[in-house]
Amino acid sequence: MTDSPAPRIPLDPKEQPILDKLLSIRTNLELLKQDRSTYVKSQDVIDLYSKVIEQVVILNEIRTTKRLEQNRVDTVLDDCFQLISLAYLTIGKNHEPPAVYSFVSTTKRLLDHLKEATFYSPKDLESISDRLEDCRRYTERGKDAYSPHLLTLLEARIAVCRQVISELKLNLSHLTPELTPKWDKLVSILRSLSACNTRSKFPNDEVDDYLEQLKQLEEELKAYGIYAYESTGTKEEKVAEMTERLMISMEHPEPAPEAKDLIATLLRRNFVWIVTIKKKQGRIAPAFREVYDKLLEIKNKLEKLTLTQSWSLRETDLWGYQRALDRVDETRVDGNFFDAVGRPADLYEQRTLLYLLRKSYATIYQLIVSSEPVSEALLPIYNQLTTLRKCLLEVKKLGGVSSPRELYPYSMKLNSIDNMRVDGKFMVGNDIPEGQGSVTALLSECFEIAYDLRNDAEDSSPEEKSAPDNESGGEVRESEGDVRESGGEVQLK
């Protein structure tokens, strides 16, 4: 895999052995993620993590007087940390400091793009802030078990992200509670328009619908003295407009000038973007077609993963997408894309490519956030239990069952999963994969729902009360008792 772009300066001869070992570790990590014949084992990942930390210690000793230096060693080191971080997610150690690294790196990229775009929702910032707070807690909790070199790095990166969030929140601080929903709507429309623009067939009708929504918003915003464009009519028309504004302001006090400018600018951007994309109809200039196709392919693949994540995603696979996006992102100069002869992209190509880039980073962020704290070795069982739980809850929502016999399929499946445990744990060979507690809790919940459904059915069907336990689903209760005695542990053959 090609390195992500990074400053290249002459390598200190003392750092060459470190680079060689890091390259070897990165190769081992890549082989680990590519091997689909078996699941990723915790001990393999932990051993490689320890080897990386050994090289970090040596590197820090060499760089006592040049802490800010960046060369190929740092690029490969970042690759190793990214792969190890995603591997920790793969083995279910989501709440350990190494797993935080990849999330924080992706978050920083996402925040930089939000800052550059200058439009985002307050809810976006709240969600990211909450996740960063979780990362801070995981880092704090791991101080006794993990290298201070890693923890110091994570703490610094989390602090940088929090600083950017503070700046972004400040930009929206002038929005009043009445204007915030309208701002959110404008953000949503602009994102939706960009999504329409990348469809294989341009959806004119859908874009026209968004145009109508914008016109309606424009009318609503006039009550707050916010206009997309200033009047260019005659003197009499301008006086009439000023009179109308005065009447409106008596009913709705005008917001701060900063808020008015913020919303008016975004409103104009929406109108301009609609005109532009309707004119272009999805046609990209040939000079930027290659990078467009590449970004569109990445975006589509990532979105497909969101649909099949629980069944097909190995988190380490995200590294390839991260690096491909980083390489494209780093080719920009002053925020713009340039063709092969150094000509900058027009507004249409620039915004279209940026949308694809930002959407892909946001999807990677969402995939990392939604990763379950369960080893991929246990995911087949975890996914089956998740599906069973959904089915049982749907049955309960629809009024339950008329007879305990209707629960037989669920009882049989739950008992077959329960019988996989060895001494209260799901085992894979001689290994005890991570995520035992999560699987056990889910199994116990399924038993509880099934037991409640059976009791409700027996209460409503007196003739079923006299049936023997082995015919009325009594084994469900017995298995539930087994789960409770196991103390929250689970295992897999």
Side-chain angles (χ1 to χ4, degrees), residues 10 27 31 44 82-83 136 142 158-159 163 188 261 282 308 315-316 320 352 368 370 374 400 409 464 468 493:
T27 300
L31 292 173
D44 292 340
Q82 288 278 13
L83 278 165
R136 188 197 63 76
I158 291 172
Q163 176 61 36
S188 176
D261 291 343
T308 62
E315 282 80 359
T316 49
T352 301
I368 291 176
S370 57
V374 176
E464 293 286 348
K493 290 183 181 177

Side-chain angles (χ1 to χ4, degrees), residues 3-6 19 22-23 26 29 52 56 59 70-86 98 101-102 104-106 109 150 153-154 157 319 322-323 326 330:
D3 291 336
S4 57
L19 177 61
L22 288 175
L23 286 170
R26 187 179 70 176
L29 284 164
V52 172
V56 171
L59 182 64
Q70 292 285 305
N71 55 39
R72 191 165 182 237
V73 172
D74 302 274
T75 303
V76 179
L77 181 60
D78 182 63
D79 288 346
C80 290
F81 272 132
Q82 288 278 13
L83 278 165
I84 285 173
S85 181
L86 292 170
Y101 188 94
S102 181
V104 175
S105 296
T106 303
R109 287 273 183 181
L150 172 66
L153 175 61
L154 291 175
R157 293 196 171 194
W319 184 69
Q322 286 177 328
R323 282 299 175 246
D326 291 348
E330 296 291 346

Side-chain angles (χ1 to χ4, degrees), residues 38-44 377-378 425-434 436 490-493:
T38 183
Y39 68 94
V40 177
K41 297 179 176 62
S42 298
Q43 194 56 51
D44 292 340
L378 288 183
K425 298 180 178 63
F426 285 107
M427 305 288 292
V428 177
N430 295 323
D431 296 329
I432 305 176
E434 295 288 335
Q436 299 286 330
V490 196
Q491 307 189 353
L492 199 165
K493 290 183 181 177

Side-chain angles (χ1 to χ4, degrees), residues 308-452:
T308 62
Q309 176 179 12
S310 59
W311 297 98
S312 63
L313 176 66
R314 176 180 275 187
E315 282 80 359
T316 49
D317 294 340
L318 295 176
W319 184 69
Y321 297 112
Q322 286 177 328
R323 282 299 175 246
L325 293 171
D326 291 348
R327 288 195 293 275
V328 173
D329 199 11
E330 296 291 346
T331 61
R332 295 194 296 141
V333 179
D334 295 330
N336 203 353
F337 295 88
F338 286 77
D339 63 14
V341 295
R343 291 174 299 191
D346 290 337
L347 176 67
Y348 175 73
E349 279 76 21
Q350 180 191 12
R351 287 193 178 179
T352 301
L353 295 176
L354 281 175
Y355 165 75
L356 292 174
L357 188 62
R358 291 164 181 167
K359 179 64 175 178
S360 297
Y361 275 126
T363 306
I364 289 177
Y365 169 89
Q366 191 57 45
L367 286 167
I368 291 176
V369 166
S370 57
S371 173
E372 298 289 351
V374 176
S375 168
E376 67 171 345
L378 288 183
L379 272 181
I381 289 181
Y382 185 85
N383 291 334
Q384 290 178 55
L385 288 171
T386 301
T387 302
L388 277 169
R389 178 181 177 275
K390 289 180 180 178
C391 291
L392 288 168
L393 288 174
E394 191 64 23
V395 170
K396 189 173 184 178
K397 179 181 177 182
L398 295 174
V401 294
S402 58
S403 168
R405 296 177 187 276
E406 296 179 32
L407 294 172
Y408 282 179
Y410 302 106
S411 300
M412 291 174 65
K413 185 60 180 178
L414 288 172
N415 282 313
S416 68
I417 292 176
D418 189 32
N419 290 335
M420 292 179 180
R421 297 186 299 149
V422 179
D423 295 331
K425 298 180 178 63
F426 285 107
M427 305 288 292
V428 177
N430 295 323
D431 296 329
I432 305 176
E434 295 288 335
Q436 299 286 330
S438 297
V439 179
T440 302
L442 192 54
L443 179 63
S444 180
E445 184 180 359
C446 288
F447 274 128
E448 194 70 41
I449 298 170
Y451 181 70
D452 290 341

Side-chain angles (χ1 to χ4, degrees), residues 444-463:
S444 180
E445 184 180 359
C446 288
F447 274 128
E448 194 70 41
I449 298 170
Y451 181 70
D452 290 341
L453 286 170
R454 191 196 70 171
N455 282 345
D456 291 343
E458 288 180 342
D459 291 342
S460 60
S461 303
E463 65 276 7

